């Protein structure tokens, strides 16, 4: 079974600063995907970024980027130039190809003025 | 693109009644849809995997006779909570994986349904 661990239950960052959210996972699979989802107070799950395990290059989406360390089974999310709208719960998720998502427990991020 | 709707967004019902929640992929076809349950300040817990035209696969500990899932078309899956009780009160979220019209290795989520059983 795959497990996803987010060791930071809560984090805080000031507007315009950079913050990194941690995620580690455990799997014996070789074909899998990793995701970061954002859940704002509206509770709508929003895809932030995805990474295919077979790709060595780290994914980026505007202010969001990941540091994917496959050997270490680490998948951290960096948010640059943090904005108030980034305040949300962030979930790291693992997906074996063709299967459901396994979520971590989440990190609550608060962006302060 | 890749929009998923859920209806209703909120429902309040009396104990013992049944409630149906619909999950629709609006602009893509989804062979597979997933149903999750989320308690306050907690992560999403997978309840079942719904495959079009076949029986759903339930996770361990989820009562299949209580949470009936039907996936009759490539754009619609329904979750029916039968004989609901207060402990079934929760936030239910569906997601859909695109067969075509979207990324087939990504799940797109509906906005969720808040169920309150009195």
């Amino acid at each position: 079974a795959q497990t996803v661990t987010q060791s930071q239950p809560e984090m805080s960052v000031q507007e315009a600063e950079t913050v990194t959210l941690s995620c580690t996972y455990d799997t014996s699979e070789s074909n899998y995907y990793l995701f970061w989802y954002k859940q704002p107070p509206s509770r709508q799950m929003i895809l932030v970024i995805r990474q295919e395990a077979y790709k060595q290059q780290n994914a980026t989406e505007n202010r969001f980027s990941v540091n994917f360390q496959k050997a270490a089974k680490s998948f951290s999310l960096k948010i640059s130039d943090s904005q108030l709208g980034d305040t949300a719960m962030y979930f790291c998720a693992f997906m074996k190809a063709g299967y459901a998502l396994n979520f971590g427990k989440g990190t609550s991020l608060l962006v302060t003025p | 693109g890749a929009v998923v709707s859920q209806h209703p967004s909120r429902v309040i019902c009396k104990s013992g009644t049944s409630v149906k929640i619909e999950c629709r992929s609006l602009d893509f076809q989804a062979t597979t849809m997933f149903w999750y349950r989320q308690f306050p300040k907690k992560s999403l817990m997978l309840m079942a995997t719904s495959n079009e035209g076949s029986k759903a696969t339930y996770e361990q500990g989820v009562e299949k006779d209580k949470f009936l899932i039907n996936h009759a078309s490539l754009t619609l899956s329904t979750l029916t909570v039968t004989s609901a009780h207060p402990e079934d009160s929760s936030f239910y979220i569906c997601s859909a994986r695109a067969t075509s019209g979207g990324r087939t290795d990504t799940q797109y989520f509906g906005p969720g349904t808040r169920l309150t059983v009195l």
Side-chain angles (χ1 to χ4, degrees):
Chain A
Q2 292 81 26
T3 57
V4 178
T5 302
Q6 292 180 250
S7 58
Q8 305 150 314
E10 297 180 346
M11 293 194 71
S12 179
V13 64
Q14 278 194 316
E15 209 174 356
E17 297 297 308
T18 295
V19 64
T20 299
L21 309 183
S22 301
C23 173
T24 59
Y25 61 96
D26 186 26
T27 186
S28 57
E29 300 291 335
S30 57
N31 184 17
Y32 58 90
Y33 301 83
L34 296 164
F35 302 85
W36 279 97
Y37 281 90
K38 165 185 176 181
Q39 189 179 41
S42 68
R43 301 190 79 173
Q44 168 75 60
M45 293 289 284
I46 300 167
L47 176 65
V48 175
I49 201 164
R50 63 190 288 279
Q51 174 82 42
E52 296 94 331
Y54 63 85
K55 288 189 177 179
Q56 291 186 335
Q57 187 174 8
N58 289 323
T60 63
E61 287 287 343
N62 301 313
R63 298 183 295 108
F64 300 88
S65 61
V66 297
N67 183 4
F68 175 45
Q69 300 290 325
K70 190 172 183 179
K73 295 179 182 175
S74 171
F75 183 62
S76 61
L77 174 70
K78 185 172 81 171
I79 305 174
S80 304
D81 185 26
S82 297
Q83 300 176 359
L84 296 178
D86 294 334
T87 291
M89 196 75 165
Y90 286 80
F91 292 100
C92 178
F94 171 101
M95 187 184 81
K96 178 182 171 184
Y99 287 79
L101 290 161
N102 282 333
F103 286 96
K105 291 187 176 182
T107 296
S108 179
L109 176 66
L110 175 65
V111 180
T112 58
Chain B
V3 178
V4 177
S5 70
Q6 251 181 274
H7 179 79
S9 58
R10 289 175 178 263
V11 57
I12 300 172
C13 69
K14 293 182 178 180
S15 187
T17 60
S18 294
V19 174
K20 180 186 283 188
I21 302 170
E22 292 187 348
C23 177
R24 292 182 185 271
S25 55
L26 298 184
D27 51 1
F28 66 98
Q29 293 184 329
T31 303
T32 304
M33 292 185 174
F34 303 90
W35 288 94
Y36 296 85
R37 184 172 180 176
Q38 187 180 32
F39 291 103
K41 300 188 184 300
K42 297 293 185 182
S43 188
L44 280 72
M45 181 186 75
L46 178 67
M47 298 176 65
T49 301
S50 168
N51 294 296
E52 187 268 337
S54 64
K55 290 184 178 181
T57 302
Y58 291 82
E59 295 300 300
Q60 192 171 10
V62 178
E63 299 176 59
K64 62 180 181 181
D65 294 331
K66 180 166 191 62
F67 298 99
L68 300 179
I69 291 172
N70 183 274
H71 193 157
S73 77
L74 287 174
T75 59
L76 174 64
S77 176
T78 61
L79 168 68
T80 301
V81 183
T82 63
S83 186
H85 287 96
E87 58 265 31
D88 299 324
S89 297
S90 192
F91 192 66
Y92 293 88
I93 309 175
C94 73
S95 70
R97 185 170 64 220
T99 303
S100 62
R103 303 185 78 158
T104 57
D105 53 8
T106 299
Q107 290 182 31
Y108 302 94
F109 283 84
T113 296
R114 183 182 301 279
L115 170 62
T116 303
V117 185
L118 302 177

